[in-house]
């Protein structure tokens, strides 16, 4: 991966937060993160912050991000243009709100009924309205025979079926193995395994289309990304960014991921964290002389106990 590459760090807020005021508060924090990591000095990469909130919060986020490099996306779109389709949101509506990216084919939408066919129609709607699409693909589970690779190929082929070669510049692929989404046991793909998948996806694109599409397509990774695994995923997985679920609900955790990716080495980050922790403890103790005094008292009484328990020589 080249130094100073621009990485897309997309936060999928899913069905959170609960209220518009919470969304507004978070948005202002993401706005600051976007400014900080757009061109952080000495950074390995510049980061493009993208937040995909639930539909009702899109305008609020657009207002909060005004004048900042942070982008607002959407989590889904209708396959229809408009008209009598209760509950649907058309791509033209999202375009008019200034949405830059729309996630399509997320496994949680596929589980709710989106087929490859419907995903390909939605993708067409997004492209038609000059918006970028984040197309999610990924296997439900893995098998030793490698059948899951064929499943991904079929998914990719069917989802991209309606696009012409010129449309591809507006598509980003998010490789999200379904078995790795929403896990609490640190089961995300390793950077090494991810790199194999990225090579495989590019090979499929080369077979299906051409060399230029295969090499220029941006590929993100999604599925239980955390501050612990983000560095390995980005720098060993050779991806162009992340699609983050739960770790992106909290601006602090999201920022931690950005910092770990952008700063020169992981060791550096750990050192910085240790220094900050040490300094905070010193500061807190200074602020709290009572705590210091009680610590001294404990040490004195321990010394007394030690002395009295020594055998007495006559
Ligand atoms: P997760 O979700 O990071 O919470 O696993 C990822 C996603 O659903 O895109």
């Amino acid at each position: 991966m080249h130094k100073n590459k621009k990485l897309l760090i997309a936060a999928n807020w899913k069905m959170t937060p609960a209220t518009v005021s919470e969304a507004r508060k978070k948005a202002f924090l993401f706005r600051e993160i976007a400014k900080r990591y757009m061109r952080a000095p000495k950074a390995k990469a510049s980061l493009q912050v993208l937040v995909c909130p639930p539909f009702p919060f899109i305008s609020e986020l657009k207002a909060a991000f005004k004048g900042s490099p942070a982008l607002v996306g959407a989590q889904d779109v209708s396959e229809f243009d408009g008209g009598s389709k209760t509950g649907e949101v058309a791509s033209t509506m999202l375009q008019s709100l200034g949405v830059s990216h729309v996630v399509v084919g997320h496994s949680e939408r596929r589980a709710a009924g989106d087929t490859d066919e419907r995903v390909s129609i939605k993708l067409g709607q997004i492209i038609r309205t000059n918006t970028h699409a984040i197309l999610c693909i990924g296997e439900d589970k893995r098998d030793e025979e490698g059948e899951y690779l064929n499943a991904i190929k079929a998914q990719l082929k069917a989802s991209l079926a309606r696009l012409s070669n010129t449309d591809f510049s507006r598509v980003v692929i998010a490789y999200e193995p379904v078995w790795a989404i929403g896990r609490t046991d640190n089961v995300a793909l390793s950077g090494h395994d991810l790199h194999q998948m990225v090579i495989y996806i590019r090979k499929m694109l080369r077979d299906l289309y051409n060399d230029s599409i295969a090499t220029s397509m941006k590929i993100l990774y999604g599925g239980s990304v955390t501050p612990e695994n983000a560095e390995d995923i980005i720098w060993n997985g050779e991806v162009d960014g992340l699609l983050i679920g739960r770790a992106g609900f909290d601006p602090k955790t999201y920022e931690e991921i950005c910092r770990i990716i952008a700063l020169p080495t992981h060791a550096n980050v750990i050192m910085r964290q240790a220094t900050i922790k040490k300094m905070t403890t010193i500061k807190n103790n200074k602020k709290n002389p009572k705590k210091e005094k009680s610590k001294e008292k404990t040490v004195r009484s321990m010394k007394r106990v030690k002395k009295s328990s020594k055998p007495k020589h006559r």
Side-chain angles (χ1 to χ4, degrees), residues 12 14 103 106-108 136 176 180-183 222-226 243-249:
N12 172 10
K14 306 196 179 190
V103 177
H106 189 279
S107 63
E108 285 154 13
C136 299
E176 298 208 303
I181 295 177
R183 302 286 293 242
S224 297
V225 175
T226 63
L243 181 54
I244 306 173
R246 291 152 303 151
F249 295 174

Side-chain angles (χ1 to χ4, degrees), residues 1-273:
M1 186 172 288
H2 309 293
K3 200 174 181 318
N4 293 328
K5 185 161 177 151
K6 196 168 190 172
L7 300 169
L8 180 63
I9 312 296
N12 172 10
W13 279 4
K14 306 196 179 190
M15 206 165 77
T16 78
T19 63
V20 69
S21 63
E22 280 176 78
R24 190 181 308 125
K25 274 188 212 146
K26 283 183 192 222
F28 282 112
L29 296 171
F30 273 84
R31 173 199 159 106
E32 293 315 304
I33 300 169
K35 281 192 209 157
R36 219 167 289 147
Y37 290 95
M38 182 79 180
R39 250 174 254 106
K42 292 196 188 145
K44 266 173 126 180
S46 61
L47 309 185
Q48 174 66 70
V49 169
L50 166 69
V51 182
C52 304
F55 291 133
F57 303 152
I58 288 176
S59 294
E60 198 63 39
L61 261 72
K62 276 301 286 182
F65 289 173
K66 202 166 175 217
S68 100
L71 301 174
V72 184
Q75 298 173 18
D76 194 19
V77 68
S78 175
E79 68 197 283
F80 304 108
D81 291 333
S84 300
K85 303 288 174 193
T86 305
E88 299 277 339
V89 174
S91 194
T92 45
M93 298 172 184
L94 297 175
Q95 181 190 29
S96 72
L97 290 175
V99 158
S100 66
H101 294 72
V102 180
V103 177
V104 62
H106 189 279
S107 63
E108 285 154 13
R109 298 307 323 152
R110 289 182 189 263
D114 274 9
T115 57
D116 283 339
E117 165 78 0
R118 192 182 291 161
V119 170
S120 79
I121 300 172
K122 288 184 175 188
L123 198 57
Q125 293 284 14
I126 299 166
I127 300 299
R128 196 173 59 81
T129 49
N130 289 329
T131 312
H132 286 88
I134 299 181
L135 168 67
C136 299
I137 56 163
E139 73 280 9
D140 290 335
K141 54 181 186 319
R142 291 205 162 185
D143 57 292
E144 303 219 326
E145 293 72 39
E147 260 311 301
Y148 69 94
L149 295 173
N150 291 332
I152 294 174
K153 189 170 188 176
Q155 203 179 36
L156 195 62
K157 191 175 174 192
S159 308
L160 296 172
R162 285 162 206 267
L163 300 191
S164 68
N165 281 9
T166 51
D167 296 333
F168 281 88
S169 59
R170 262 183 266 123
V171 180
V172 177
I173 288 175
Y175 171 60
E176 298 208 303
V178 181
W179 53 266
I181 295 177
R183 302 286 293 242
T184 48
D185 50 1
N186 252 334
V187 146
L189 214 60
S190 74
H192 175 267
D193 291 349
L194 176 59
H195 190 199
Q196 302 295 313
M197 277 312 300
V198 170
I199 293 171
Y200 183 72
I201 292 169
R202 293 206 189 281
K203 183 187 173 316
M204 284 189 298
L205 290 169
R206 193 165 291 122
D207 293 348
L208 292 168
Y209 305 99
N210 57 46
D211 217 45
S212 128
I213 289 176
T215 47
S216 61
M217 180 73 81
K218 281 195 186 310
I219 302 179
L220 315 181
Y221 170 79
S224 297
V225 175
T226 63
E228 285 72 37
N229 59 26
E231 188 184 30
D232 176 43
I233 287 172
I234 286 284
W235 297 109
N236 298 325
E238 296 278 338
V239 280
D240 303 290
L242 302 168
L243 181 54
I244 306 173
R246 291 152 303 151
F249 295 174
D250 174 15
K252 270 198 202 140
T253 319
Y254 178 90
E255 170 154 30
E256 184 67 3
I257 291 174
C258 292
R259 193 153 57 83
I260 284 168
I261 294 168
L263 286 186
T265 66
H266 196 185
N268 230 342
V269 175
I270 291 174
M271 263 167 62
R272 269 184 59 172
Q273 278 171 344

